Amino acid sequence: GATVGKTWAVTIPVAQPEKCASIEIEFEDEDATLRINEALPTLVVTAVDCVGVQFELSALPDDRAGRTQDDPDYDGPALDIDIVGQQPQGQQLRLDLSQQQALLADGKIRISGLAVRGTFATGKSSGGVKLGVAFGELPSATLPQRGRLEIKCGRPTHLLLENTEELFDAAPYDAGASLPPMQLRCTDVDGNPAKDMHLELEMSHDGEAGSDPFTGPSGPFRTSAKGEYVVGGGKSPGFTVNEDVLRYDAEAVATLKFVATLDEDEVEGAVLEVPVRLAQLEQEEEPELATLAMSVVLGPAGSST
């Protein structure tokens, strides 16, 4: 008859990896938005053996001078971190390492404080980079392995009115007059177009009337891919002077204040204040009263005629 086989369980001990063969790198927060002049997510460096098993580091690697992390002059692990590729052509991005800090946790090196700075290609509000990390004689690792990391523009720093002369040359504005379209341009600290920024509008004037100096758009607005927004451009209505705020004693001055922020929840951002001169109202002249001249002529015997 048939022989029924027995199942044997065999336990084979696997030794912990003794030698680091390569490194792998990734961001701790893979879904974070990467922006110019903003700290990148923590970069995690994992050492692995020849079969891809994590090699847990017991201490941070020596620095470039051979000092250990216990040395007061320790200058951080001797890792070479840099941008090893970028697109499109014409952009000039660099990796700022001046604020980097290294920490050992769970046998992995975690590096924080990295930031990308510089300019995108002309007219672009984003670009792509590939990061590379080299550790001693081990093969270098790149992030991502394929493609590029998208780096977006930084926070709005400068907000400008492009057609200042056109607006100011037509002043002062009479009641009911329309302001020309206002061409706003927003950039980050490096001059890159600040795309998709939140624009808020406030208006005021130096008179006593409680109403706004203009009717028309009230916001909020969003900048374009070129960091621009035109108030009153195309089919959009522009600003019209409200007669109620004009004064008899002097020209009134209205102020349009624009504030650009990364999102609507932020308070501080790039600020632009535009003063607009409004015409002085003319005093209505009082009508002159007609004067009736009468003369009395005395006749004979004192009678009048």
Side-chain angles (χ1 to χ4, degrees):
T3 302
V4 178
K6 294 183 178 180
T7 301
W8 296 86
V10 179
T11 302
I12 302 176
V14 178
Q16 291 293 321
E18 298 181 356
K19 184 178 180 181
C20 173
S22 62
I23 57 174
E24 298 175 350
I25 59 175
E26 62 182 346
F27 282 135
E28 197 165 53
D29 183 358
E30 297 179 347
D31 298 325
T33 299
L34 312 182
R35 291 191 177 276
I36 287 279
N37 295 308
E38 297 280 311
L40 296 176
T42 299
L43 185 66
V44 181
V45 181
T46 304
V48 295
D49 67 2
C50 59
V51 294
V53 177
Q54 179 186 344
F55 178 83
E56 292 195 7
L57 299 171
S58 58
L60 288 172
D62 297 348
D63 65 12
R64 299 185 188 282
R67 294 178 290 239
T68 67
Q69 69 179 83
D70 297 327
D71 192 311
D73 296 325
Y74 180 69
D75 194 32
L79 296 173
D80 291 318
I81 309 171
D82 205 351
I83 294 175
V84 295
Q86 52 180 302
Q87 289 180 343
Q89 186 176 4
Q91 71 180 18
Q92 299 180 1
L93 301 182
R94 66 187 186 280
L95 190 63
D96 184 354
L97 308 175
S98 62
Q99 302 298 318
Q100 70 168 330
Q101 295 182 337
L103 174 68
L104 186 67
D106 301 326
K108 302 178 181 181
I109 303 173
R110 285 174 163 79
I111 302 174
S112 59
L114 304 177
V116 176
R117 309 192 191 281
T119 56
F120 297 121
T122 303
K124 299 293 184 181
S125 57
S126 64
V129 300
K130 183 186 288 288
L131 297 183
V133 177
F135 180 22
E137 298 180 354
L138 299 176
S140 60
T142 59
L143 181 68
Q145 293 184 349
R146 297 180 180 85
R148 297 288 187 274
L149 297 169
E150 183 184 14
I151 307 293
K152 295 186 176 182
C153 64
R155 294 177 179 273
T157 304
H158 307 291
L159 186 58
L160 305 174
L161 177 64
E162 296 278 80
N163 60 329
T164 303
E165 292 184 1
E166 181 183 1
L167 177 69
F168 291 170
D169 288 350
Y173 292 90
D174 293 315
S178 297
L179 303 189
M182 302 181 67
Q183 302 171 14
L184 305 180
R185 184 169 184 269
C186 187
T187 61
D188 65 16
V189 68
D190 290 316
N192 298 302
K195 174 186 177 182
D196 202 28
M197 296 296 124
H198 181 81
L199 280 174
E200 287 284 354
L201 166 65
E202 301 175 11
M203 59 179 74
S204 60
H205 62 88
D206 61 357
E208 297 180 358
S211 52
D212 289 334
F214 304 102
T215 59
S218 58
F221 317 108
R222 282 280 174 183
T223 58
S224 68
K226 294 183 178 181
E228 299 173 344
Y229 187 83
V230 180
V231 185
K235 297 181 180 180
S236 302
F239 294 111
T240 301
V241 177
N242 181 1
E243 183 178 9
D244 294 341
V245 303
L246 300 188
R247 299 164 53 182
Y248 285 104
D249 59 335
E251 290 184 355
V253 177
T255 301
L256 292 167
K257 179 180 178 180
F258 298 92
V259 180
T261 55
L262 192 59
D263 57 60
E264 60 185 25
D265 296 327
E266 294 188 350
V267 177
E268 296 185 359
V271 177
L272 169 66
E273 292 189 354
V274 182
V276 181
R277 291 168 49 219
L278 306 181
Q280 180 179 349
L281 289 174
E282 295 183 2
Q283 294 280 359
E284 296 182 2
E285 295 184 2
E286 296 183 2
E288 295 184 3
L289 296 177
T291 302
L292 178 60
M294 298 182 65
S295 60
V296 178
V297 179
L298 296 177
S303 63
S304 61
T305 60

